[in-house]
Amino acid sequence: MADFLVALAEFDQRRAWIALGHASLFAFLTQRLGLSKAAAFFRMKAAEIIQRHPDVVAPFRDGRLCLTTVASLARVLTPENQAEVLPRFFHRSMQEAKAIAAELLPATNPPRRTVITAVPALNPRTAPAPALAETRSQTVFLGEPVFTADAASNPPPVSAGPAPALQVEPLTASERRVHLTVSPAFLEKLEEARLALSHSLPGATVEDVLSAGLDLILDRDRKRKGLVANPRPGPAEAAAEPGAGYIPAAVRREVWRRDQGRCQWKLDSGGICGSRLRVELDHVRLRCRGAKPIASELRLLCRSHNDLAARQALGDAVMDRYTRKRTAVRRT
Ligand SMILES: [Zn+2]
């Protein structure tokens, strides 16, 4: 690939695509070589940047620099800043490179409006959501959401497969633009929440409303972890009693802090699992075998390692019975 890009840069410098009857290097790459538009775009950007900064060839060759980052790199790289800026793009993904470029060269007039666009109903089998330009109606509002008749009459697309990742576009070092596909019911809920907050947060933006909601979730989670500022003291006797299910908030807080919110399961390859997903407190020794609710006898484990730990301690037969019992209780 690096050899191809170097040859392409030289080819472009000679404007050799003109002699072959093409209007641009991009046209040559798509029409003559049959590349996709995205593949042609990245190679064209690479060929351009190699002509201006031959030092990028070595990192392309050894894989430190990814082809998908060149467009961002090209925006900000100059002969003066090359020594400092080029290494910042090593080992970066396209998204990370966009964020670096946005930090170095912020968008001069970043859009701050909230845009609600109706997504036309799609055949759920052919599915990706259409690009903004292809949608039929577009409503721009500042503060007050406006719903168009078109938006109301179009049923939301039936989602197929996993939810698409949140599209995030870095604008400046401190600002990101988010593209989000939601249901009309979500917009109604958002508007209700905005009205509910209209006393305490008059003129709240969408970010204010969502941020307040996220704070509620995080507060609830911090309480679960015993991380609240002034936890009520729990019954001291229960804390000391072996076999008790109760774990004092102070102990929970200590364990969450000590384990940094990460699963502590030791891996065969060394190190720990480190997952922060569905993390729970785990008794290193089983409660029924005399474990005390004190920090030294507790650790954080993710759900799958918690399950694995229980299976190792109790055996599959017991765990299967327990799991089945739990399921049965939930159904009744
Ligand atoms: Zn784990």
Side-chain angles (χ1 to χ4, degrees):
M1 173 62 87
D3 288 337
F4 172 79
L5 295 175
V6 170
L8 194 65
E10 189 266 340
F11 178 84
D12 187 41
Q13 198 154 31
R14 291 191 285 115
R15 296 291 180 265
W17 35 267
I18 295 175
L20 293 170
H22 295 284
S24 64
L25 181 65
F26 184 79
F28 166 78
L29 289 168
T30 50
Q31 294 164 354
R32 184 68 168 257
L33 299 191
L35 298 183
S36 73
K37 285 176 183 169
F41 173 79
F42 289 131
R43 283 156 183 76
M44 175 186 73
K45 284 287 164 192
E48 287 170 5
I49 204 168
I50 286 171
Q51 291 172 62
R52 286 187 285 127
H53 306 276
D55 284 357
V56 302
V57 174
F60 267 136
R61 199 178 288 285
D62 62 27
R64 276 175 295 163
L65 198 59
C66 174
L67 198 55
T68 60
T69 66
V70 289
S72 298
L73 179 61
R75 277 184 61 212
V76 295
L77 196 65
T78 65
E80 295 75 38
N81 71 15
Q82 184 173 317
E84 185 202 340
V85 167
L86 182 57
R88 292 192 61 183
F89 284 82
F90 293 166
H91 314 292
R92 298 297 182 180
S93 67
M94 179 159 77
Q95 203 58 35
E96 289 165 344
K98 277 185 183 172
I100 296 169
E103 185 192 323
L104 294 171
L105 194 71
T108 45
N109 191 14
R112 286 196 174 72
R113 67 197 188 282
T114 303
V115 181
I116 295 182
T117 309
V119 179
L122 291 173
N123 179 345
R125 290 183 190 280
T126 57
L132 204 62
E134 293 164 5
T135 54
R136 275 190 271 155
S137 74
Q138 181 169 323
T139 307
V140 178
F141 70 87
L142 278 162
E144 293 282 332
V146 178
F147 299 97
T148 63
D150 203 13
S153 61
N154 269 323
V158 179
S159 71
L166 201 61
Q167 271 187 57
V168 180
E169 184 190 332
L171 299 173
T172 67
S174 59
E175 287 170 306
R176 302 286 182 269
R177 185 157 179 78
V178 174
H179 303 261
L180 184 68
T181 302
V182 299
S183 64
F186 174 90
L187 289 176
E188 278 168 31
K189 207 186 281 183
L190 180 64
E191 176 62 3
E192 256 186 85
R194 195 179 68 82
L195 295 173
L197 283 175
S198 58
H199 294 289
S200 56
L201 272 177
T205 63
V206 170
E207 182 182 0
D208 295 334
V209 175
L210 293 179
S211 192
L214 293 175
D215 283 343
L216 291 177
I217 295 174
L218 294 176
D219 277 352
R220 198 177 59 187
D221 189 50
R222 272 191 282 269
K223 277 183 193 134
R224 183 175 73 88
K225 296 171 180 171
L227 292 177
V228 286
N230 287 309
R232 264 177 295 171
E237 310 79 51
E241 191 183 318
Y246 174 79
I247 300 168
V251 173
R252 277 186 280 152
R253 188 164 58 239
E254 188 183 342
V255 176
W256 274 94
R257 286 220 177 107
R258 183 198 64 204
D259 292 351
Q260 299 177 318
R262 291 177 184 280
C263 171
Q264 298 296 306
W265 187 262
K266 289 200 169 56
L267 302 176
D268 292 341
S269 55
I272 55 163
C273 161
S275 171
R276 297 173 66 186
L277 211 62
R278 302 177 77 195
V279 171
E280 305 167 336
L281 284 171
D282 173 65
H283 290 266
V284 179
R285 285 194 294 161
L286 288 171
R287 280 210 306 276
C288 56
R289 295 179 191 165
K292 297 187 190 73
I294 55 174
S296 60
E297 300 217 349
L298 290 161
R299 61 182 168 180
L300 296 185
L301 289 184
C302 68
R303 175 60 66 83
S304 42
H305 281 134
N306 216 329
D307 187 51
L308 188 62
R311 278 174 189 279
Q312 283 185 357
L314 297 169
D316 282 341
V318 175
M319 280 305 288
D320 284 344
R321 204 163 63 225
Y322 171 67
T323 312
R324 263 207 302 280
K325 207 186 283 174
R326 248 205 330 201
T327 314
V329 167
R330 212 177 287 140
R331 277 192 193 132
T332 53

